[in-house]
Amino acid sequence: MYSSPSTTARLLITCLDQPGIVYHVTEFLFQYGANITMLDQYTTDPIHGTFFMRLEFETVHLTLSSAQLSSCFATQVAKPFNLQWQINFASTHKKMAIFVSRHDHALMELLWRWSRKELAMDIPCIVSNHPDLAHFAKSFSVPFYHIENYPAIKTTAEQQMLALLTEQEVDGIILARYMQILSPEFIQYFEHNIINIHHSFLPAFVGADPYRQAHHKGVKLIGATAHYVTSELDMGPIIEQDVIRVSHRLGPKQLQVLGMDIERQVLARAVKWYLQDRIIVYENKTIVFDAH
Amino acid sequence: MYSSPSTTARLLITCLDQPGIVYHVTEFLFQYGANITMLDQYTTDPIHGTFFMRLEFETVHLTLSSAQLSSCFATQVAKPFNLQWQINFASTHKKMAIFVSRHDHALMELLWRWSRKELAMDIPCIVSNHPDLAHFAKSFSVPFYHIENYPAIKTTAEQQMLALLTEQEVDGIILARYMQILSPEFIQYFEHNIINIHHSFLPAFVGADPYRQAHHKGVKLIGATAHYVTSELDMGPIIEQDVIRVSHRLGPKQLQVLGMDIERQVLARAVKWYLQDRIIVYENKTIVFDAH
Amino acid sequence: MYSSPSTTARLLITCLDQPGIVYHVTEFLFQYGANITMLDQYTTDPIHGTFFMRLEFETVHLTLSSAQLSSCFATQVAKPFNLQWQINFASTHKKMAIFVSRHDHALMELLWRWSRKELAMDIPCIVSNHPDLAHFAKSFSVPFYHIENYPAIKTTAEQQMLALLTEQEVDGIILARYMQILSPEFIQYFEHNIINIHHSFLPAFVGADPYRQAHHKGVKLIGATAHYVTSELDMGPIIEQDVIRVSHRLGPKQLQVLGMDIERQVLARAVKWYLQDRIIVYENKTIVFDAH
Amino acid sequence: MYSSPSTTARLLITCLDQPGIVYHVTEFLFQYGANITMLDQYTTDPIHGTFFMRLEFETVHLTLSSAQLSSCFATQVAKPFNLQWQINFASTHKKMAIFVSRHDHALMELLWRWSRKELAMDIPCIVSNHPDLAHFAKSFSVPFYHIENYPAIKTTAEQQMLALLTEQEVDGIILARYMQILSPEFIQYFEHNIINIHHSFLPAFVGADPYRQAHHKGVKLIGATAHYVTSELDMGPIIEQDVIRVSHRLGPKQLQVLGMDIERQVLARAVKWYLQDRIIVYENKTIVFDAH
């Protein structure tokens, strides 16, 4: 049901552009029996630019173990070419925590897709600063943790959350309309691994109540933006955005109802691409390979 | 070819909401032989809200002249109900000046649609601060005026332009990528009758070089916004917006090329709706009736 | 939460176009204290065309009961002008049965929106030819009826379903991916009150397995269509359609997964408009008033 | 102004999937100083599927001439791996004939983009079965040939056209709303090099007057399709499609006016991708690499 079978692996590379990279990388994979099934590559500039590549390959005929492959790649290719890189195996699911507050729509969308095996992740926990959505988590058999969080107790709350996430070896966090701001210290533990859904077309309408802002401004399209969380509010690298047409007839409340449809779709796509290792962050922007 | 025949008239109304407005207005039209062919109405709030209505009616069987109809409406309906209103007859084309600088795409789109009778307007003049597009104007047989304009001579330039527009009894101005800022004094002469196309999804990327701003930010959609010009730069009431999907592969120059397609479409729609009397401005926003 | 408050009523009218209809209808409503909050009107042709109108009005200050209003309207307006018409009061929810088979996505979307009060309907029953989704219905506390249905037993099955629907005084049926064809006799009981979601952009790809057909054809967009069911398969009046961009990379299975997102949105919109009395059928097409 | 500089070349490959293809191809290019700037690859199935690849590379540091590179590639790579392939150099523009009848919108769009250097092609001739658009061609300084064509004289007309195209060494033909059907014999001379714009979302509304068909059916979106011409009418491989939302208010004539906007955009994109060697035909479908 997942879009790539569990015998697939993905290699992500960032480096200075230089002749022969594709050749050397593909030679390495060919030598050890990795059959490339998808390759996408991008260079900011052919002369002294930055080079990005994403490869998918079949692991069935590998002549090395997964660990050996990674270790050989490090020595034989990554080091000589000074690559930033990662290899991930589709058989190992990422462990994702979901943070929510009271709105259920983003959580519902994620859990429903996950239960249908559209999203290849494990969900060790749902964390919320409110108890409201506990039943929701329960109906999908996912552990729910109610950890109160407001400015006065943020430090304690974040320590509690961090302890939980560490214990469960969480790889990343999805903020499915979590209405508390996380501290730079907390964010730093999961750099470029926290995905937020903001309910506007960023950079328009940063901050609180963007639907009211959009209504006040009289825009003819409203949108949603999935982005990585950084220490600057709503300013992290954008992963995905979409919009829907609206008319003067709709008040802020109705914009919110329509907008939730876009939020759900945009967040689900961003999470899917994250899980499929399609995203590289570069200069506070994202390279998203071969999406859809 | 125009979407409404020349025997049509349009009535636009703004007033405080109160019971019976639709009834009294339609009674008036019925009495004098005006057959309503389209009616669209909107209220911000049924209790003490603001009421907006646009009516199209056939004038073939009118028992009064156009002038008499307007005058009777003023006395019999508009005054008792304290309406802001206008009646426009499709047979009288609006006179529109087009202002351009060096980019030809928006001008080309307008002239081509105008020559096919998609846009029901007269174009007494094209005004530019550069001579570059004179041949373009000429190939459509529209008078072209090169009036230099830069900050140091703005006052003089605007006086010259104003003299020209006054002489030609211009109703409105289309800024088809005119790269000079007009003074509040000039704008005031044509309040809510100057349409600008801004090459971003406003309110994101106000000001200069929005494609570069969009590229720097890494947005996944770029857009264009047609709006009425007010004294605050890029902040006037939005008439129409649209977007197109872009990827990390595209540099600022390529965003600009793609964006021009959206600019052309968005400006053409806004102008069409303006010419068809579909737009009412209210609280720095627009009501756009029955668009498309 | 619903877009129109429970003190609202809607009047739908179809008739031959003739001068004065709007005036006479609005005069009637004004006389009896109904304050019009929305009016949308459409004529196929101002001369001898067909006239359609949808009105929303506030019922708070009505000087008649609901029943009296309807009865007076019949005598004083509908009869003299030979109108087809209906008045519905928002306080009376429509009773909708949902039919499903094994796919859960359309059902999930409807139940979730219904539970959030986005869809103003009662759901007396979910009917399925398979037992699979019983738990789903249960988690939303909606009665679930497993009624087997395949060609050989269709007559019996439909009698059973009809008995159930009659007993529960069902107004309409939503086919949320119900994979059996209903007989013309059954359909006739609910003419223009059965909404189906077809998983293609009709009229392309009528019939079975449209995603496979779309993949085979190599289309660059896939779509979904909500339509009223008529006796001719997939040929009833179209209520709503939408599409999503796809690439050559996607196989039929992946088209199906992407397409489900469109199916959910399109069906939800069609049902919402049906419940808000926005749809009139005319010549196997639909007039959809003021959607969004 | 063109999206790829003139020092770029493109390599297109189709073959049976087999391990090591990417490696061998990129090794070849590395050896001879070709720096890969873009690589996109697709396999229908990793096991015994068909493999497609598009590569862009910089030719500045090539150690062979263009002709030598092609000839070496044929011997050293293409033959051993049994590849179908082509190498095209961006410095050599394709020669494209444009065929039109009376509608000017598609032609206008192409000529305008071409004059701005958005479309990297030479246009040796515009051919039309009507004289109407001669002035249009003249204003862009492109030779215009009026060659009458109707069923009774088709054979002669096509011979005349073929003579012209051969003399001018035309690579491909763009049917910018050419309203005559070309014979299979004629088409065969330019297999997969004739691009047509059809004014509907194919496969819906094949044949004549699709806007009337769309209006009759009551669809909520209308579209346009750019496709390669084959001997079966409107059934060739689809290159690009798009749609626009329409309402019940619009008659066939208005659908046509709106639809032209989509036709222009869709045809322009298809032509751009053709000129950039982004399209491979396979099983009556297209692989379109890295579009946008």
Side-chain angles (χ1 to χ4, degrees):
Chain A
M1 195 70 91
Y2 301 124
S3 63
S4 47
S6 63
T7 55
T8 308
R10 300 130 192 172
L11 169 57
L12 286 179
I13 289 172
T14 304
C15 66
L16 275 180
D17 197 12
Q18 52 198 299
I21 305 176
V22 180
Y23 156 57
H24 287 103
V25 170
T26 58
E27 180 189 37
F28 173 87
L29 292 172
F30 179 62
Q31 276 176 351
Y32 296 110
N35 191 20
I36 297 168
T37 54
M38 202 169 291
L39 190 161
D40 198 355
Q41 175 264 335
Y42 164 65
T43 311
T44 56
D45 195 316
I47 299 152
H48 305 311
T50 303
F51 173 97
F52 305 91
M53 184 159 66
R54 180 182 183 272
L55 272 154
E56 281 195 20
F57 54 91
E58 264 299 324
T59 60
V60 175
H61 301 292
L62 274 190
T63 58
L64 298 175
S65 73
S66 304
Q68 286 170 328
L69 187 81
S70 295
S71 132
C72 287
F73 185 80
T75 324
Q76 295 175 27
V77 186
K79 199 152 172 221
F81 288 92
N82 198 18
L83 311 181
Q84 288 179 48
W85 64 284
Q86 46 174 300
I87 297 181
N88 295 307
F89 295 85
S91 55
T92 307
H93 283 196
K94 287 185 171 55
K95 289 189 182 63
M96 303 300 290
I98 304 180
F99 282 29
V100 281
S101 291
R102 279 190 167 120
H103 284 295
D104 66 352
H105 59 286
L107 177 63
M108 184 277 313
E109 188 73 27
L110 293 175
L111 290 177
W112 177 76
R113 288 181 190 261
W114 170 73
S115 72
R116 296 173 59 87
K117 301 198 186 307
E118 266 187 51
L119 297 174
M121 61 182 172
D122 295 336
I123 309 178
C125 61
I126 293 171
V127 173
S128 181
N129 55 333
H130 293 286
D132 310 40
L133 299 178
H135 69 287
F136 227 96
K138 199 179 166 193
S139 75
F140 284 89
S141 307
V142 178
F144 180 91
Y145 296 85
H146 174 210
I147 300 178
E148 276 198 280
N149 188 1
Y150 46 87
I153 63 165
K154 183 181 294 197
T155 310
T156 322
E158 291 192 346
Q159 281 167 354
Q160 221 179 320
M161 297 193 289
L162 207 53
L164 175 69
L165 302 179
T166 308
E167 190 206 315
Q168 297 183 330
E169 301 181 321
V170 158
D171 295 298
I173 302 172
I174 306 166
L175 304 184
R177 297 297 304 274
Y178 183 69
M179 307 307 276
Q180 292 296 318
I181 295 172
L182 298 169
S183 71
E185 294 70 35
F186 184 93
I187 291 167
Q188 176 186 292
Y189 278 96
F190 294 94
E191 205 197 359
H192 298 159
N193 288 296
I194 308 179
I195 299 172
N196 183 46
I197 180 71
H198 183 76
H199 36 319
S200 87
F201 180 81
L202 288 172
F205 313 131
V206 166
D209 218 344
Y211 291 123
R212 190 162 296 276
Q213 292 184 56
H215 181 260
H216 180 74
K217 177 66 191 165
V219 289
K220 301 302 185 185
L221 303 166
I222 57 168
T225 304
H227 64 95
Y228 284 125
V229 175
T230 59
S231 54
E232 203 177 344
L233 184 66
D234 298 335
M235 296 300 275
I238 294 170
I239 302 169
E240 171 65 343
Q241 306 187 284
D242 214 338
V243 294
I244 191 171
R245 189 162 284 275
V246 297
S247 89
H248 59 268
R249 293 191 183 283
L250 304 171
K253 179 70 199 159
Q254 291 165 304
L255 294 186
Q256 184 190 357
V257 170
L258 268 186
M260 290 189 307
D261 292 350
I262 300 296
E263 295 172 41
R264 289 155 65 193
Q265 300 274 340
V266 166
L267 179 60
R269 290 203 288 264
V271 169
K272 188 174 74 179
W273 299 339
Y274 172 87
L275 297 174
Q276 295 174 344
D277 301 304
R278 294 191 182 280
I279 313 173
I280 295 180
V281 175
Y282 177 69
E283 292 186 341
N284 206 43
K285 298 190 277 192
T286 61
I287 317 296
V288 181
F289 285 112
D290 235 359
H292 291 115
Chain B
M1 196 69 92
Y2 302 123
S3 62
S4 47
S6 64
T7 55
T8 308
R10 301 129 190 174
L11 169 57
L12 286 179
I13 290 172
T14 304
C15 65
L16 276 179
D17 198 11
Q18 51 199 300
I21 304 175
V22 180
Y23 156 58
H24 287 104
V25 170
T26 58
E27 181 189 37
F28 173 87
L29 293 172
F30 179 62
Q31 276 176 351
Y32 296 110
N35 192 21
I36 299 169
T37 54
M38 203 169 290
L39 190 161
D40 200 353
Q41 174 266 330
Y42 164 65
T43 310
T44 56
D45 194 315
I47 298 153
H48 305 312
T50 303
F51 173 97
F52 306 91
M53 183 161 66
R54 180 182 184 272
L55 272 154
E56 282 194 18
F57 55 90
E58 264 299 325
T59 59
V60 175
H61 300 293
L62 273 190
T63 57
L64 297 177
S65 72
S66 303
Q68 286 169 328
L69 188 81
S70 295
S71 134
C72 287
F73 186 79
T75 325
Q76 296 173 27
V77 187
K79 198 154 174 222
F81 287 93
N82 199 18
L83 313 180
Q84 290 178 46
W85 64 285
Q86 47 174 297
I87 297 180
N88 296 307
F89 294 84
S91 55
T92 307
H93 282 196
K94 288 185 172 56
K95 289 189 181 62
M96 304 299 291
I98 304 180
F99 281 30
V100 281
S101 291
R102 279 190 169 120
H103 284 295
D104 66 352
H105 59 287
L107 178 63
M108 183 277 313
E109 187 72 28
L110 293 175
L111 290 177
W112 177 75
R113 287 181 190 262
W114 171 73
S115 71
R116 295 172 59 86
K117 302 198 184 309
E118 266 187 52
L119 297 175
M121 60 183 172
D122 295 335
I123 309 179
C125 60
I126 294 171
V127 173
S128 181
N129 55 333
H130 293 287
D132 309 40
L133 301 178
H135 69 289
F136 225 96
K138 198 179 167 193
S139 75
F140 284 89
S141 307
V142 177
F144 180 90
Y145 298 84
H146 173 211
I147 300 178
E148 276 198 280
N149 187 2
Y150 47 87
I153 63 165
K154 184 181 295 200
T155 310
T156 322
E158 291 193 346
Q159 280 167 354
Q160 219 179 324
M161 297 193 289
L162 207 52
L164 175 68
L165 302 179
T166 308
E167 189 206 316
Q168 296 182 330
E169 301 182 320
V170 158
D171 295 298
I173 302 172
I174 305 167
L175 304 184
R177 298 296 304 275
Y178 183 68
M179 307 307 275
Q180 291 297 317
I181 295 173
L182 298 169
S183 72
E185 293 69 36
F186 184 92
I187 292 166
Q188 177 187 292
Y189 277 96
F190 295 94
E191 204 197 359
H192 298 159
N193 288 297
I194 308 178
I195 299 173
N196 183 47
I197 180 71
H198 182 77
H199 36 319
S200 87
F201 180 81
L202 289 173
F205 312 131
V206 165
D209 217 344
Y211 291 123
R212 189 161 297 276
Q213 292 184 55
H215 182 259
H216 179 74
K217 178 64 192 166
V219 289
K220 300 302 185 185
L221 303 167
I222 58 166
T225 303
H227 64 94
Y228 284 125
V229 174
T230 58
S231 54
E232 204 178 345
L233 184 66
D234 297 337
M235 295 301 273
I238 294 171
I239 302 169
E240 171 64 343
Q241 306 188 285
D242 215 337
V243 295
I244 192 171
R245 189 161 284 276
V246 296
S247 89
H248 59 268
R249 294 193 184 280
L250 303 171
K253 178 71 198 159
Q254 291 165 304
L255 294 187
Q256 185 190 356
V257 170
L258 268 186
M260 289 189 308
D261 292 350
I262 300 297
E263 293 172 42
R264 289 155 64 193
Q265 300 274 340
V266 165
L267 178 60
R269 291 204 288 265
V271 169
K272 188 173 73 178
W273 298 339
Y274 172 86
L275 298 174
Q276 295 174 344
D277 302 304
R278 295 189 181 280
I279 314 172
I280 295 180
V281 174
Y282 176 68
E283 292 187 342
N284 207 42
K285 299 189 279 192
T286 61
I287 318 295
V288 182
F289 286 111
D290 234 359
H292 290 113
Chain C
M1 197 69 93
Y2 301 124
S3 63
S4 47
S6 64
T7 55
T8 310
R10 300 129 191 174
L11 168 58
L12 287 179
I13 290 173
T14 305
C15 66
L16 275 179
D17 197 12
Q18 51 198 299
I21 304 176
V22 179
Y23 157 57
H24 286 103
V25 170
T26 57
E27 180 188 38
F28 173 87
L29 292 173
F30 179 62
Q31 275 176 352
Y32 296 111
N35 190 20
I36 298 168
T37 54
M38 203 171 288
L39 190 160
D40 199 355
Q41 173 264 333
Y42 164 65
T43 312
T44 56
D45 194 315
I47 300 153
H48 305 312
T50 303
F51 173 97
F52 305 90
M53 185 160 65
R54 180 182 183 272
L55 272 154
E56 281 194 20
F57 54 93
E58 264 299 323
T59 59
V60 174
H61 300 292
L62 274 190
T63 57
L64 297 177
S65 72
S66 303
Q68 285 169 328
L69 188 82
S70 296
S71 134
C72 286
F73 186 79
T75 324
Q76 296 173 26
V77 186
K79 198 152 176 222
F81 287 91
N82 199 18
L83 312 180
Q84 290 178 47
W85 64 284
Q86 45 174 300
I87 297 180
N88 295 307
F89 294 84
S91 55
T92 308
H93 283 194
K94 288 186 171 56
K95 290 188 180 63
M96 303 299 292
I98 304 179
F99 281 30
V100 281
S101 291
R102 279 189 170 122
H103 284 295
D104 65 352
H105 59 288
L107 178 63
M108 185 277 311
E109 188 72 28
L110 293 174
L111 290 177
W112 177 75
R113 288 181 189 261
W114 171 73
S115 72
R116 296 173 58 87
K117 303 200 184 307
E118 266 187 52
L119 297 175
M121 62 182 171
D122 295 335
I123 310 179
C125 61
I126 294 170
V127 173
S128 181
N129 55 332
H130 293 287
D132 309 41
L133 300 178
H135 68 288
F136 226 96
K138 200 181 164 192
S139 75
F140 284 88
S141 306
V142 178
F144 180 91
Y145 297 85
H146 174 212
I147 299 177
E148 277 198 279
N149 187 2
Y150 46 87
I153 64 165
K154 182 181 294 200
T155 309
T156 321
E158 290 192 347
Q159 280 167 355
Q160 221 179 319
M161 298 193 288
L162 207 52
L164 175 68
L165 302 180
T166 307
E167 189 207 316
Q168 296 183 328
E169 301 182 320
V170 158
D171 295 299
I173 302 171
I174 306 166
L175 305 184
R177 299 295 304 275
Y178 184 68
M179 307 307 276
Q180 292 295 318
I181 294 171
L182 298 169
S183 72
E185 294 70 34
F186 184 92
I187 291 167
Q188 176 187 292
Y189 277 97
F190 294 94
E191 203 197 0
H192 298 158
N193 288 296
I194 308 179
I195 299 172
N196 183 46
I197 181 70
H198 183 76
H199 35 320
S200 87
F201 180 81
L202 289 173
F205 313 131
V206 165
D209 218 344
Y211 291 122
R212 189 162 297 280
Q213 292 183 56
H215 182 260
H216 179 72
K217 177 66 192 166
V219 288
K220 301 300 184 186
L221 302 167
I222 58 166
T225 304
H227 64 95
Y228 284 125
V229 174
T230 58
S231 54
E232 203 178 344
L233 183 66
D234 297 336
M235 295 300 273
I238 293 170
I239 301 168
E240 171 63 344
Q241 307 188 285
D242 215 337
V243 294
I244 192 171
R245 190 162 282 276
V246 297
S247 89
H248 59 267
R249 294 193 183 280
L250 304 170
K253 178 69 198 160
Q254 291 165 303
L255 294 186
Q256 184 191 356
V257 170
L258 268 187
M260 288 189 309
D261 291 349
I262 300 297
E263 294 172 41
R264 289 155 65 193
Q265 300 274 342
V266 166
L267 179 60
R269 289 204 288 264
V271 168
K272 187 173 75 179
W273 298 339
Y274 172 86
L275 297 174
Q276 295 175 343
D277 301 304
R278 295 191 181 279
I279 314 172
I280 296 179
V281 174
Y282 176 69
E283 291 186 342
N284 206 43
K285 298 190 279 194
T286 61
I287 317 295
V288 181
F289 286 110
D290 235 358
H292 290 112
Chain D
M1 196 70 91
Y2 302 124
S3 62
S4 46
S6 64
T7 55
T8 308
R10 300 130 192 172
L11 168 58
L12 286 179
I13 291 172
T14 305
C15 66
L16 275 180
D17 198 12
Q18 51 199 302
I21 305 176
V22 180
Y23 157 57
H24 286 104
V25 170
T26 58
E27 181 189 36
F28 173 88
L29 292 172
F30 179 63
Q31 276 177 351
Y32 296 110
N35 190 21
I36 298 169
T37 54
M38 202 171 291
L39 189 161
D40 199 354
Q41 173 264 334
Y42 165 65
T43 312
T44 56
D45 194 318
I47 300 152
H48 304 314
T50 304
F51 173 98
F52 306 91
M53 185 159 65
R54 179 181 183 274
L55 271 154
E56 282 194 19
F57 55 91
E58 263 300 322
T59 59
V60 175
H61 301 291
L62 274 189
T63 57
L64 297 176
S65 72
S66 303
Q68 285 168 328
L69 188 82
S70 295
S71 132
C72 287
F73 186 79
T75 325
Q76 296 173 28
V77 186
K79 197 153 177 221
F81 288 92
N82 199 17
L83 312 180
Q84 291 179 46
W85 65 284
Q86 45 174 302
I87 296 180
N88 296 308
F89 294 84
S91 55
T92 308
H93 282 195
K94 288 186 171 57
K95 289 188 181 63
M96 303 299 291
I98 304 180
F99 282 30
V100 281
S101 292
R102 281 190 167 122
H103 284 294
D104 66 351
H105 60 287
L107 177 63
M108 183 278 312
E109 188 72 28
L110 293 174
L111 290 177
W112 178 76
R113 288 180 190 262
W114 170 73
S115 71
R116 295 173 59 85
K117 303 200 184 305
E118 267 187 51
L119 297 174
M121 60 182 173
D122 296 335
I123 310 179
C125 61
I126 294 171
V127 173
S128 180
N129 56 332
H130 293 287
D132 310 39
L133 299 178
H135 68 289
F136 225 97
K138 200 180 164 193
S139 74
F140 284 89
S141 306
V142 177
F144 181 90
Y145 297 84
H146 174 212
I147 300 177
E148 276 199 279
N149 188 2
Y150 46 87
I153 63 165
K154 184 181 297 201
T155 310
T156 322
E158 291 191 346
Q159 280 166 356
Q160 220 178 320
M161 297 192 288
L162 208 52
L164 175 69
L165 303 179
T166 308
E167 189 206 317
Q168 298 183 328
E169 300 182 321
V170 157
D171 295 298
I173 301 172
I174 305 167
L175 304 184
R177 299 295 305 274
Y178 183 69
M179 307 308 276
Q180 291 296 318
I181 295 171
L182 298 169
S183 72
E185 293 71 33
F186 184 92
I187 292 167
Q188 178 187 289
Y189 278 96
F190 294 94
E191 204 197 1
H192 298 159
N193 288 296
I194 308 179
I195 298 173
N196 183 45
I197 180 70
H198 183 77
H199 36 320
S200 86
F201 180 82
L202 290 172
F205 313 130
V206 165
D209 217 344
Y211 290 122
R212 190 162 295 281
Q213 292 183 56
H215 182 259
H216 180 73
K217 178 65 193 167
V219 289
K220 301 301 185 186
L221 302 167
I222 58 167
T225 303
H227 63 94
Y228 285 126
V229 174
T230 58
S231 55
E232 203 177 345
L233 183 65
D234 297 336
M235 296 300 274
I238 294 171
I239 301 168
E240 171 63 342
Q241 306 188 284
D242 215 336
V243 294
I244 192 171
R245 189 161 284 276
V246 296
S247 89
H248 59 268
R249 293 190 185 281
L250 304 170
K253 177 69 198 160
Q254 292 165 303
L255 295 187
Q256 185 190 354
V257 171
L258 268 186
M260 289 188 309
D261 291 349
I262 300 297
E263 293 172 42
R264 288 156 65 194
Q265 300 274 341
V266 165
L267 179 59
R269 291 203 287 265
V271 168
K272 188 174 73 178
W273 298 339
Y274 173 85
L275 297 174
Q276 296 175 342
D277 301 304
R278 295 190 181 282
I279 314 171
I280 296 180
V281 174
Y282 176 68
E283 291 186 342
N284 207 43
K285 297 189 280 194
T286 60
I287 317 295
V288 181
F289 285 110
D290 235 356
H292 290 113

